[in-house]
Amino acid sequence: MLHSTLALSLLLIAVSSNLAMAINKEKRAPQTLSRGWGDEITWVQTYEEGLYQAKKSNKPLMVIHHLEDCQYCQALKKAFAESEEIQEMAQNNFIMLNLMHETTDKNLSPDGQYVPRIMFIDPSLTVRADITGRYSNRLYTYEPQDIPFLIENMKKALRLIQTEL
């Protein structure tokens, strides 16, 4: 009797342990401020915090507008996260913010509210409407194949700060 009780207990422990592991695998990792754009990057939570940090640190603020269910945003996010050069510049030289909602600052949507949209704000809190992407109908959008162009625009945002010092 003791032997069968022990065997049954071990069986229950094994089954419950496997069940617990299966449940844990189904849970998603906690959502961070990176939202998949780069987990090694330090992200600010709000536009206001980004403006404050940009001014305080004398670094440009890079604002990424996107939506979770947008296939174009997802494709750009993947390319952005895979680019070592972007990830390094973003972590070291920029204040980073990604938003899944519009801000109240209409300067961040000079040609409309669309996604994905990436804009730069310099430390003097000037929206750099002159740093645009390749497309004339959506000036601030980028596609995955535009990553080299985005890198150049990030460097341009950094150069503009140097020339204004």
Side-chain angles (χ1 to χ4, degrees), residues 4-138:
S4 57
T5 304
L6 182 61
L8 185 59
S9 296
L10 287 175
L11 179 64
L12 285 173
I13 290 171
V15 168
S16 62
S17 173
N18 285 339
L19 183 60
M21 287 190 324
I23 290 170
N24 283 339
K25 285 182 183 175
E26 290 177 19
K27 287 183 182 176
R28 290 186 66 195
Q31 187 71 1
T32 65
L33 291 176
S34 82
R35 297 181 179 97
W37 289 87
D39 291 337
E40 301 303 315
I41 297 171
T42 303
W43 298 88
V44 294
Q45 193 164 359
T46 65
Y47 181 55
E48 292 74 19
E49 179 187 358
L51 293 174
Y52 173 79
Q53 291 295 334
K55 189 168 186 74
K56 180 179 161 189
S57 67
N58 201 39
K59 293 180 179 180
L61 170 62
M62 183 174 176
V63 181
I64 304 169
H65 289 88
H66 64 101
L67 293 173
E68 201 60 41
D69 59 353
C70 166
Q71 67 180 355
Y72 305 105
C73 298
Q74 293 300 318
L76 180 61
K77 179 195 303 188
K78 184 176 186 302
F80 188 98
E82 289 174 353
S83 170
E84 289 181 24
E85 190 169 3
I86 284 180
Q87 295 293 302
E88 183 180 332
M89 274 197 296
Q91 176 60 26
N92 298 323
N93 306 110
F94 287 85
I95 303 302
M96 298 295 296
L97 171 65
N98 69 67
L99 293 175
M100 297 192 330
H101 56 81
E102 287 297 330
T103 67
T104 55
D105 186 341
K106 295 301 175 198
N107 293 313
L108 287 179
S109 54
D111 65 336
Q113 296 180 341
Y114 53 86
V115 291
R117 185 171 81 246
I118 299 177
M119 298 197 70
F120 298 92
I121 295 93
D122 67 29
S124 71
L125 308 186
T126 302
V127 176
R128 298 309 308 224
D130 56 334
I131 302 178
T132 61
R134 299 185 319 128
Y135 307 98
S136 60
N137 62 336
R138 298 197 185 273

